[in-house]
Amino acid sequence: DATNGALLVGLINSAQKYLTAESFNFRVNASSTIMKVKQIWTIEFLKDNSCLVHIRSSLRRYLASDNNGKVTCDQEAPSAYSNFVMITQADGKVSFQSDETKRYLGGAEDNITCFAQAVSESEKWVLHLAIHPNINLFSPGKKRYLRYDAASNVVRCDSELPWGPDCVMTLIFDFKGTRSLSVPTLWNCNPHNGNLICCNGKLEPGPSSRSLYVLRVRSGLLCLSDGEGRVLSSREGYVRSLKSDSPSKDELFSPDPSPGQVTIRSLLNAKYISIRSDLQANQTEAKESEIFQIIINNTTRKACFQAASKDYLAVGPKNLLVSLAVLTDNCWFSLVYNGPRVGIKTSDGKFVTTKSNGQLAPVTLSPGPAQEFILQLTNRPLLILQSDYGFVGFGPGTSRLDGNRCTHEASKLSCDEDGYYQFKLGESRVRMSSCPERDQGRAPVRGQLCVYWGGQQEVVHSALCWLAIPG
């Protein structure tokens, strides 16, 4: 994963091929037309406000060039020959100049070199962001996140925390024009993509020249230029394109991951867990105080829930669920699924129970209606599914859902009262019932979205699905 001062990208040359790091002899070529793991590079910015970078492959080896222009990618640690200056060209493409030899990186297919003394089209690269398209955009200048204001139909930079669906943006890459569309995901959006941020600050339902931006990168931060000397800015009351000779922090944005946020509804009283006063399941409507960010421990596979106040759900001293300002062992729970229903189990094996007064306490070792909840995803009105092998979408010329597509398809997501979801890809409405493969004892087909239905593995488009948090 990218860290502070780093950015995950694909690098596309003038022949529309991605720079690729092969595992065999750590060879480098530019022969792939799609971006997968081998085509993802980490641009590491060495200093703030500096164009000096390292280029690291998915194999965690550093790109380097010697005095003869030979390019290698087998170094586990960077050397002086791994230092490159990333130069943004007028058309938005970038060039990489060796800081040691002053030559430029370029070439095609198996002939990747760093020997050119001047920049031609062969030494220009298009940056394709290799991050999940659903993101939160943070302004270092305002120290706030972008938020869609439905009342004014504009995007403002005023959210201290990226909470709820209005703070989720979707980046769409325009492969033909190699420019980016910035999309806030709205509940009332077009089912294929959201309304697009235009240069005048307003939002429009479809792509046009007003919503296309050239992506520029500065020290790991994004700058979106409309091609007429203006850049998307948070300088004023709402986000729009403004003239800027040298972009300031108000014109730079950090593309932060957008973790899943959920509401937790008790099946016993049909009310949401809330932190408005005491922690209880006592609210009939879900607002900010009823939304929780779910965090998964990758080692234990347990989950914790963080509220907008930054407090965590935890088992308190009186064996009641309370909110804590610090993350402790009592904040971690196991999630036990029964279809779309989930039981929340503490470390001592007891299930959280909803009491008649709305209080929550772990009191029983076996789940029942009082111990079951519905977790409803709140910040993915525009859903993009991604597997380890690519995005989920229909295979070419087929109605089969594959999990290895190089481009994403955004779909509008809806959920019913029972916790079942429905979404639409292209012109096909997808409704699935899925179970984790570990419970079936069977491995899914690589790169293909597999659904278990009645004990049989099938690829179907005619059943409802429920979303299970990994755990």
Side-chain angles (χ1 to χ4, degrees), residues 27-226:
R27 291 179 179 174
V28 178
N29 61 54
S31 56
S32 176
T33 58
I34 60 177
M35 182 173 67
K36 294 187 177 180
V37 174
K38 293 193 295 185
Q39 287 75 41
I40 295 177
W41 300 81
T42 302
I43 306 295
E44 298 178 349
F45 295 85
L46 304 189
K47 300 177 182 178
D48 291 340
N49 302 317
S50 171
C51 297
L52 198 63
V53 301
H54 290 153
I55 306 172
R56 179 163 53 85
S57 75
S58 59
L59 300 171
R60 306 192 70 83
R61 304 297 176 109
Y62 286 88
L63 200 72
S65 67
D66 63 17
N67 291 324
N68 297 319
K70 182 181 178 181
V71 173
T72 58
C73 193
D74 58 0
Q75 300 179 12
E76 295 184 357
S79 67
Y81 288 96
S82 305
N83 296 339
F84 291 88
V85 178
M86 191 174 80
I87 303 169
T88 302
Q89 304 297 330
D91 55 6
K93 298 177 182 179
V94 299
S95 299
F96 295 99
Q97 183 187 40
S98 170
D99 190 49
E100 191 73 15
T101 67
K102 309 304 179 186
R103 303 298 179 98
Y104 292 92
L105 180 71
E109 298 297 334
D110 292 325
N111 187 31
I112 303 298
T113 65
C114 188
F115 201 68
Q117 299 184 38
V119 175
S120 67
E121 286 302 313
S122 296
E123 286 72 45
K124 291 183 180 181
W125 302 86
V126 173
L127 296 180
H128 181 185
L129 293 181
I131 56 178
H132 192 281
N134 290 138
I135 61 172
N136 303 126
L137 282 176
F138 178 75
S139 167
K142 298 287 187 182
K143 298 190 184 302
R144 292 291 187 272
Y145 288 90
L146 299 195
R147 175 190 64 86
Y148 172 63
D149 182 358
S152 304
N153 193 37
V154 296
V155 172
R156 303 192 184 277
C157 187
D158 60 3
S159 183
E160 184 177 353
L161 285 173
W163 221 252
D166 290 338
C167 289
V168 180
M169 306 287 153
T170 302
L171 292 180
I172 298 176
F173 194 78
D174 174 37
F175 284 93
K176 294 181 180 179
T178 64
R179 293 198 283 177
S180 299
L181 302 169
S182 184
V183 190
T185 53
L186 322 178
W187 282 104
N188 57 341
C189 66
N190 180 290
H192 301 288
N193 52 44
N195 291 341
L196 306 174
I197 302 176
C198 294
C199 56
N200 62 1
K202 296 299 181 180
L203 278 76
E204 296 182 357
S208 68
S209 59
R210 295 186 298 275
S211 58
L212 281 170
Y213 301 93
V214 174
L215 175 66
R216 303 178 188 275
V217 177
R218 297 198 174 201
S219 299
L221 301 175
L222 308 185
C223 179
L224 296 172
S225 168
D226 65 5

Side-chain angles (χ1 to χ4, degrees), residues 319-397:
N319 206 37
L320 291 174
L321 251 63
V322 296
S323 58
L324 286 183
V326 294
L327 185 62
T328 69
D329 291 342
N330 290 334
C331 300
W332 294 99
F333 303 91
S334 298
L335 303 181
V336 181
Y337 278 89
N338 177 23
R341 303 177 180 186
V342 62
I344 303 175
K345 189 166 67 171
T346 62
S347 58
D348 61 358
K350 294 181 180 179
F351 285 87
V352 173
T353 300
T354 306
K355 294 187 173 184
S356 57
N357 61 358
Q359 289 184 324
L360 301 156
V363 297
T364 180
L365 296 174
S366 57
Q371 291 78 38
E372 290 186 325
F373 302 86
I374 296 292
L375 301 186
Q376 183 171 336
L377 194 62
T378 63
N379 65 336
R380 287 296 184 274
L382 204 62
L383 181 70
I384 296 172
L385 295 175
Q386 186 176 19
S387 75
D388 291 339
Y389 310 105
F391 292 104
V392 173
F394 288 108

Side-chain angles (χ1 to χ4, degrees), residues 139 141-142 146 157 232-240 242 249-253:
S139 167
K142 298 287 187 182
L146 299 195
C157 187
L232 211 61
S233 175
S234 61
R235 205 186 312 163
E236 298 186 350
Y238 60 95
V239 175
R240 67 186 183 99
L242 297 174
K249 286 187 176 181
D250 290 333
E251 285 79 51
L252 299 176
F253 300 95

